[in-house]
Amino acid sequence: MPKTGTILVTGGAGFIGSNLCQFLIDKSFKVVCLDNFDDFYSEEIKQSNINDLLKSLLFTFVKGDIRNSTLLNNIFSKHKIDFVVHLAAKAGIRNSIFNPQEYFDVNVNGSICLLEAMQKHNIKNLVFSSSSSVYGNKNGKLVETEICDNQISPYAVSKRTVELLNYNYHINSNFNVINLRLFSVYGKNQRPDLVLYKFINLISNNQPIEIYGNADTTRDYTHIDDVVNAFYSSIEFLKTNGSNIYETINIGNDNPISLQQLIDLILKTTKQHDIKIIEAKAVKGEANNTHSDINKARKLLNYTPSVSIENGVKLFYDWYESKKLQNK
Ligand SMILES: NC(=O)c1ccc[n+]([C@@H]2O[C@H](COP(=O)([O-])OP(=O)(O)OC[C@H]3O[C@@H](n4cnc5c(N)ncnc54)[C@H](O)[C@@H]3O)[C@@H](O)[C@H]2O)c1
């Protein structure tokens, strides 16, 4: 067994998960990836996300659902798991408004199944992917000390609920927990529903893009390399600091840009000029602006965003083009 340890990554075939699994394997961790290839977007994309990973002896893939307690018990019995990184969830704010029960069943009930199985097997180190959406619709820099009881979508409520459940297991069962509140992650293997992928795809195919509300809304886009680094540092933090840990930490870029600025950047990167914009009604559930305060991440995780949005969009476009060539 590698001396670095074994990590269970739930949702490891998805966008963030597949990037994280690769990073951990490169660091010589043994990774067990549990993913049910949920139908939020195509199974083919998730399969392609893990194709290279499957070649590694350090990588084990288990196809299954986090709500299946028997399966979780089997995984924990078979593999000596040191850390759990919990990413499996129904993602997508807008979709959650139309399917709240489904979101709660996967995100909340699924997390309870995981926490219970961890408890049963005495596995107590957890890094959880929470979301900036737990802050609701607020202006200014978002700090972890802010009271978070004004979420505006079932997705966001589900994320906040799991943070609180994690606190429960920390207090009652001595779990060590780090909740990472992620801000608009983008990059390689990105989900096709997310704005950068969606717009680049439409613009490259000379199709109109749809803007909900107006293009003044801002987002603190955070590159996947920085996010993956933050997960790794969180695992290292748990390893080094040992016990009685419960931390909630923003992972953002501390440099929000407007949707219009993002569109301009995409046009510059793709060298396109004529695009048609369709204006649609603002979407419920989305905050107008997000801006992370990352002082806590800097202090505890030695986190510094390293990929500028200009460079990140270029890197994404290069990846998008190479994928297109592969699929020809
Ligand atoms: N992408 C972002 O900008 C962002 C921002 C904040 C938080 N997050 C959170 O980070 C995590 C990963 O997000 P992502 O963008 O990679 O999404 P994703 O949809 O690409 O990844 C989620 C993965 O979980 C799997 N999954 C869903 N339900 C499952 C279940 N019941 N059992 C097992 N696996 C299941 C899916 O098949 C998918 O591969 C999610 O929890 C998401 O809420 C993402």
Side-chain angles (χ1 to χ4, degrees), residues 1-2 5-9 30-34 57-63 71-84 117-118 121-123:
M1 194 184 91
T6 304
I7 304 184
L8 171 67
V9 179
K30 206 169 155 190
V31 173
V32 179
C33 164
L34 171 64
L57 290 175
L58 293 175
F59 184 76
T60 305
F61 179 64
V62 180
K63 187 165 181 184
L71 176 66
L72 288 171
N73 286 327
N74 287 342
I75 291 174
F76 288 131
S77 300
K78 190 168 169 199
H79 304 272
K80 202 198 143 300
I81 303 289
D82 301 297
F83 304 92
V84 175
M118 285 175 69
H121 294 266
N122 204 26
I123 295 157

Short mmCIF file of all heavy atoms in Angstrom, two decimals, residues 1-2 5-9 30-34 57-63 71-84 117-118 121-123:
data_model
loop_
_atom_site.label_atom_id
_atom_site.label_comp_id
_atom_site.label_asym_id
_atom_site.label_seq_id
_atom_site.Cartn_x
_atom_site.Cartn_y
_atom_site.Cartn_z
N MET A 1 0.84 -1.21 0.00
CA MET A 1 0.00 0.00 0.00
C MET A 1 0.88 1.26 0.00
O MET A 1 1.86 1.30 0.72
CB MET A 1 -0.89 0.00 1.25
CG MET A 1 -2.01 1.01 1.19
SD MET A 1 -2.94 1.07 2.72
CE MET A 1 -2.07 2.33 3.59
N PRO A 2 0.52 2.26 -0.80
CA PRO A 2 1.33 3.47 -0.79
C PRO A 2 1.31 4.13 0.59
O PRO A 2 0.28 4.10 1.28
CB PRO A 2 0.65 4.37 -1.84
CG PRO A 2 -0.64 3.75 -2.15
CD PRO A 2 -0.64 2.34 -1.68
N GLY A 5 -1.57 6.86 1.76
CA GLY A 5 -2.90 6.53 2.25
C GLY A 5 -3.91 6.25 1.14
O GLY A 5 -3.62 6.40 -0.04
N THR A 6 -5.10 5.85 1.58
CA THR A 6 -6.16 5.49 0.63
C THR A 6 -7.34 6.43 0.83
O THR A 6 -7.77 6.67 1.96
CB THR A 6 -6.60 4.02 0.86
OG1 THR A 6 -5.45 3.19 0.74
CG2 THR A 6 -7.64 3.59 -0.16
N ILE A 7 -7.84 6.93 -0.29
CA ILE A 7 -8.92 7.93 -0.22
C ILE A 7 -10.14 7.44 -1.00
O ILE A 7 -10.01 7.00 -2.15
CB ILE A 7 -8.45 9.27 -0.82
CG1 ILE A 7 -7.18 9.73 -0.09
CG2 ILE A 7 -9.55 10.33 -0.74
CD1 ILE A 7 -6.65 11.07 -0.50
N LEU A 8 -11.29 7.51 -0.38
CA LEU A 8 -12.54 7.27 -1.11
C LEU A 8 -13.01 8.61 -1.65
O LEU A 8 -13.20 9.56 -0.89
CB LEU A 8 -13.61 6.68 -0.18
CG LEU A 8 -15.01 6.59 -0.80
CD1 LEU A 8 -15.07 5.58 -1.95
CD2 LEU A 8 -16.06 6.22 0.26
N VAL A 9 -13.17 8.69 -2.98
CA VAL A 9 -13.71 9.90 -3.58
C VAL A 9 -15.10 9.56 -4.11
O VAL A 9 -15.24 8.80 -5.07
CB VAL A 9 -12.82 10.43 -4.73
CG1 VAL A 9 -13.42 11.68 -5.36
CG2 VAL A 9 -11.40 10.72 -4.24
N LYS A 30 -3.67 5.99 -3.02
CA LYS A 30 -4.53 4.98 -3.62
C LYS A 30 -5.94 5.56 -3.60
O LYS A 30 -6.35 6.13 -2.56
CB LYS A 30 -4.46 3.73 -2.74
CG LYS A 30 -4.74 2.46 -3.44
CD LYS A 30 -4.36 1.31 -2.53
CE LYS A 30 -5.17 0.10 -2.92
NZ LYS A 30 -5.05 -0.96 -1.96
N VAL A 31 -6.66 5.47 -4.70
CA VAL A 31 -7.98 6.12 -4.77
C VAL A 31 -9.07 5.09 -5.09
O VAL A 31 -8.93 4.31 -6.04
CB VAL A 31 -7.98 7.22 -5.86
CG1 VAL A 31 -9.39 7.77 -6.06
CG2 VAL A 31 -7.03 8.35 -5.50
N VAL A 32 -10.11 5.10 -4.28
CA VAL A 32 -11.31 4.33 -4.61
C VAL A 32 -12.37 5.35 -5.00
O VAL A 32 -12.68 6.26 -4.23
CB VAL A 32 -11.80 3.49 -3.40
CG1 VAL A 32 -13.06 2.71 -3.77
CG2 VAL A 32 -10.70 2.55 -2.92
N CYS A 33 -12.88 5.20 -6.22
CA CYS A 33 -13.85 6.17 -6.74
C CYS A 33 -15.22 5.53 -6.79
O CYS A 33 -15.39 4.47 -7.40
CB CYS A 33 -13.38 6.59 -8.14
SG CYS A 33 -14.61 7.40 -9.14
N LEU A 34 -16.18 6.15 -6.14
CA LEU A 34 -17.56 5.64 -6.16
C LEU A 34 -18.43 6.64 -6.92
O LEU A 34 -18.52 7.81 -6.53
CB LEU A 34 -18.09 5.47 -4.72
CG LEU A 34 -19.58 5.14 -4.58
CD1 LEU A 34 -19.92 3.79 -5.19
CD2 LEU A 34 -19.99 5.16 -3.10
N LEU A 57 -2.84 1.42 -11.50
CA LEU A 57 -3.04 0.39 -10.47
C LEU A 57 -3.49 1.00 -9.15
O LEU A 57 -4.00 0.32 -8.27
CB LEU A 57 -1.72 -0.38 -10.24
CG LEU A 57 -1.29 -1.29 -11.38
CD1 LEU A 57 0.07 -1.89 -11.08
CD2 LEU A 57 -2.32 -2.39 -11.62
N LEU A 58 -3.30 2.32 -9.01
CA LEU A 58 -3.69 2.98 -7.77
C LEU A 58 -5.18 3.34 -7.76
O LEU A 58 -5.69 3.84 -6.76
CB LEU A 58 -2.87 4.26 -7.58
CG LEU A 58 -1.37 4.10 -7.33
CD1 LEU A 58 -0.67 5.44 -7.29
CD2 LEU A 58 -1.15 3.35 -6.02
N PHE A 59 -5.85 3.11 -8.89
CA PHE A 59 -7.24 3.57 -9.03
C PHE A 59 -8.21 2.39 -9.07
O PHE A 59 -8.04 1.46 -9.87
CB PHE A 59 -7.38 4.40 -10.31
CG PHE A 59 -8.73 5.01 -10.52
CD1 PHE A 59 -9.13 6.13 -9.79
CD2 PHE A 59 -9.62 4.48 -11.45
CE1 PHE A 59 -10.38 6.71 -9.98
CE2 PHE A 59 -10.87 5.05 -11.66
CZ PHE A 59 -11.25 6.17 -10.93
N THR A 60 -9.23 2.43 -8.21
CA THR A 60 -10.29 1.41 -8.25
C THR A 60 -11.61 2.13 -8.47
O THR A 60 -11.92 3.09 -7.76
CB THR A 60 -10.38 0.66 -6.90
OG1 THR A 60 -9.11 0.12 -6.61
CG2 THR A 60 -11.42 -0.44 -6.94
N PHE A 61 -12.36 1.67 -9.47
CA PHE A 61 -13.65 2.30 -9.72
C PHE A 61 -14.78 1.38 -9.25
O PHE A 61 -14.79 0.19 -9.56
CB PHE A 61 -13.83 2.61 -11.21
CG PHE A 61 -15.16 3.22 -11.51
CD1 PHE A 61 -15.50 4.47 -10.99
CD2 PHE A 61 -16.12 2.54 -12.27
CE1 PHE A 61 -16.75 5.04 -11.23
CE2 PHE A 61 -17.36 3.11 -12.52
CZ PHE A 61 -17.67 4.36 -12.00
N VAL A 62 -15.71 1.94 -8.50
CA VAL A 62 -16.90 1.19 -8.09
C VAL A 62 -18.10 1.94 -8.62
O VAL A 62 -18.31 3.11 -8.28
CB VAL A 62 -17.00 1.08 -6.54
CG1 VAL A 62 -18.24 0.30 -6.14
CG2 VAL A 62 -15.74 0.48 -5.95
N LYS A 63 -18.87 1.27 -9.48
CA LYS A 63 -20.06 1.94 -9.99
C LYS A 63 -21.22 1.69 -9.02
O LYS A 63 -21.61 0.55 -8.79
CB LYS A 63 -20.42 1.42 -11.39
CG LYS A 63 -21.54 2.23 -12.00
CD LYS A 63 -21.70 2.01 -13.48
CE LYS A 63 -22.84 2.87 -13.99
NZ LYS A 63 -23.13 2.66 -15.37
N LEU A 71 -23.48 -1.39 -0.14
CA LEU A 71 -22.30 -1.16 -0.99
C LEU A 71 -21.23 -0.37 -0.23
O LEU A 71 -20.04 -0.71 -0.28
CB LEU A 71 -22.73 -0.40 -2.26
CG LEU A 71 -21.62 -0.01 -3.21
CD1 LEU A 71 -20.97 -1.24 -3.83
CD2 LEU A 71 -22.15 0.89 -4.34
N LEU A 72 -21.65 0.66 0.48
CA LEU A 72 -20.69 1.47 1.25
C LEU A 72 -19.97 0.59 2.29
O LEU A 72 -18.74 0.66 2.44
CB LEU A 72 -21.40 2.63 1.96
CG LEU A 72 -21.88 3.77 1.07
CD1 LEU A 72 -22.75 4.74 1.86
CD2 LEU A 72 -20.70 4.53 0.45
N ASN A 73 -20.75 -0.26 2.97
CA ASN A 73 -20.13 -1.14 3.97
C ASN A 73 -19.11 -2.07 3.33
O ASN A 73 -18.04 -2.31 3.88
CB ASN A 73 -21.20 -1.96 4.70
CG ASN A 73 -21.96 -1.08 5.69
OD1 ASN A 73 -21.39 -0.15 6.26
ND2 ASN A 73 -23.24 -1.35 5.86
N ASN A 74 -19.45 -2.57 2.13
CA ASN A 74 -18.51 -3.45 1.42
C ASN A 74 -17.23 -2.72 1.08
O ASN A 74 -16.13 -3.25 1.24
CB ASN A 74 -19.12 -3.98 0.11
CG ASN A 74 -20.19 -5.02 0.38
OD1 ASN A 74 -20.22 -5.57 1.48
ND2 ASN A 74 -21.06 -5.27 -0.59
N ILE A 75 -17.38 -1.47 0.60
CA ILE A 75 -16.19 -0.69 0.23
C ILE A 75 -15.31 -0.48 1.47
O ILE A 75 -14.10 -0.70 1.44
CB ILE A 75 -16.59 0.68 -0.38
CG1 ILE A 75 -17.25 0.47 -1.74
CG2 ILE A 75 -15.38 1.61 -0.51
CD1 ILE A 75 -17.83 1.73 -2.36
N PHE A 76 -15.94 -0.07 2.57
CA PHE A 76 -15.15 0.21 3.78
C PHE A 76 -14.55 -1.07 4.38
O PHE A 76 -13.51 -1.02 5.04
CB PHE A 76 -15.99 0.95 4.83
CG PHE A 76 -16.28 2.39 4.44
CD1 PHE A 76 -17.56 2.90 4.50
CD2 PHE A 76 -15.25 3.22 4.01
CE1 PHE A 76 -17.82 4.23 4.15
CE2 PHE A 76 -15.50 4.55 3.66
CZ PHE A 76 -16.78 5.05 3.72
N SER A 77 -15.21 -2.22 4.16
CA SER A 77 -14.65 -3.48 4.68
C SER A 77 -13.46 -3.91 3.83
O SER A 77 -12.48 -4.44 4.33
CB SER A 77 -15.69 -4.61 4.63
OG SER A 77 -16.79 -4.28 5.39
N LYS A 78 -13.60 -3.70 2.52
CA LYS A 78 -12.58 -4.22 1.59
C LYS A 78 -11.33 -3.35 1.53
O LYS A 78 -10.22 -3.86 1.45
CB LYS A 78 -13.22 -4.30 0.19
CG LYS A 78 -12.39 -5.03 -0.81
CD LYS A 78 -13.18 -5.35 -2.06
CE LYS A 78 -12.24 -5.84 -3.15
NZ LYS A 78 -12.81 -5.75 -4.45
N HIS A 79 -11.53 -2.02 1.55
CA HIS A 79 -10.38 -1.12 1.40
C HIS A 79 -10.14 -0.42 2.73
O HIS A 79 -11.09 0.01 3.39
CB HIS A 79 -10.68 -0.05 0.34
CG HIS A 79 -11.05 -0.62 -0.98
ND1 HIS A 79 -10.14 -0.95 -1.95
CD2 HIS A 79 -12.27 -0.96 -1.50
CE1 HIS A 79 -10.76 -1.44 -3.00
NE2 HIS A 79 -12.05 -1.46 -2.76
N LYS A 80 -8.89 -0.24 3.07
CA LYS A 80 -8.61 0.45 4.34
C LYS A 80 -8.58 1.96 4.05
O LYS A 80 -7.54 2.54 3.76
CB LYS A 80 -7.27 -0.03 4.90
CG LYS A 80 -7.16 0.21 6.39
CD LYS A 80 -5.71 0.14 6.85
CE LYS A 80 -5.44 1.15 7.93
NZ LYS A 80 -5.66 2.56 7.58
N ILE A 81 -9.76 2.58 4.12
CA ILE A 81 -9.88 3.99 3.72
C ILE A 81 -9.39 4.90 4.86
O ILE A 81 -9.82 4.75 6.00
CB ILE A 81 -11.36 4.33 3.39
CG1 ILE A 81 -11.93 3.42 2.29
CG2 ILE A 81 -11.51 5.81 3.03
CD1 ILE A 81 -11.40 3.63 0.90
N ASP A 82 -8.53 5.84 4.52
CA ASP A 82 -8.02 6.79 5.52
C ASP A 82 -8.81 8.10 5.51
O ASP A 82 -9.00 8.73 6.54
CB ASP A 82 -6.54 7.10 5.24
CG ASP A 82 -5.69 5.84 5.28
OD1 ASP A 82 -5.63 5.23 6.35
OD2 ASP A 82 -5.13 5.46 4.24
N PHE A 83 -9.20 8.53 4.30
CA PHE A 83 -9.91 9.81 4.15
C PHE A 83 -11.06 9.63 3.16
O PHE A 83 -10.95 8.86 2.21
CB PHE A 83 -8.99 10.90 3.57
CG PHE A 83 -7.75 11.12 4.39
CD1 PHE A 83 -6.59 10.43 4.09
CD2 PHE A 83 -7.75 12.02 5.45
CE1 PHE A 83 -5.44 10.61 4.84
CE2 PHE A 83 -6.61 12.20 6.21
CZ PHE A 83 -5.45 11.50 5.90
N VAL A 84 -12.13 10.38 3.39
CA VAL A 84 -13.22 10.40 2.41
C VAL A 84 -13.35 11.82 1.87
O VAL A 84 -13.39 12.79 2.64
CB VAL A 84 -14.57 9.97 3.05
CG1 VAL A 84 -15.71 10.12 2.06
CG2 VAL A 84 -14.48 8.53 3.55
N ALA A 117 -22.11 5.02 7.37
CA ALA A 117 -21.19 3.92 7.03
C ALA A 117 -19.78 4.25 7.54
O ALA A 117 -19.08 3.37 8.05
CB ALA A 117 -21.18 3.70 5.52
N MET A 118 -19.39 5.52 7.43
CA MET A 118 -18.07 5.91 7.94
C MET A 118 -17.99 5.64 9.45
O MET A 118 -17.02 5.09 9.96
CB MET A 118 -17.82 7.41 7.67
CG MET A 118 -17.50 7.73 6.23
SD MET A 118 -17.38 9.51 5.94
CE MET A 118 -15.88 9.93 6.82
N HIS A 121 -17.56 2.06 10.41
CA HIS A 121 -16.21 1.51 10.14
C HIS A 121 -15.10 2.36 10.77
O HIS A 121 -13.94 2.18 10.44
CB HIS A 121 -16.01 1.37 8.63
CG HIS A 121 -16.93 0.33 8.04
ND1 HIS A 121 -16.54 -0.97 7.86
CD2 HIS A 121 -18.22 0.41 7.65
CE1 HIS A 121 -17.56 -1.66 7.36
NE2 HIS A 121 -18.59 -0.84 7.22
N ASN A 122 -15.52 3.26 11.65
CA ASN A 122 -14.55 4.08 12.39
C ASN A 122 -13.63 4.89 11.47
O ASN A 122 -12.44 5.04 11.74
CB ASN A 122 -13.74 3.17 13.33
CG ASN A 122 -13.17 3.95 14.48
OD1 ASN A 122 -13.72 5.00 14.86
ND2 ASN A 122 -12.05 3.50 15.01
N ILE A 123 -14.21 5.40 10.39
CA ILE A 123 -13.45 6.26 9.46
C ILE A 123 -13.93 7.68 9.70
O ILE A 123 -15.12 7.97 9.52
CB ILE A 123 -13.67 5.82 8.00
CG1 ILE A 123 -13.09 4.43 7.81
CG2 ILE A 123 -13.03 6.81 7.01
CD1 ILE A 123 -13.68 3.68 6.68
#
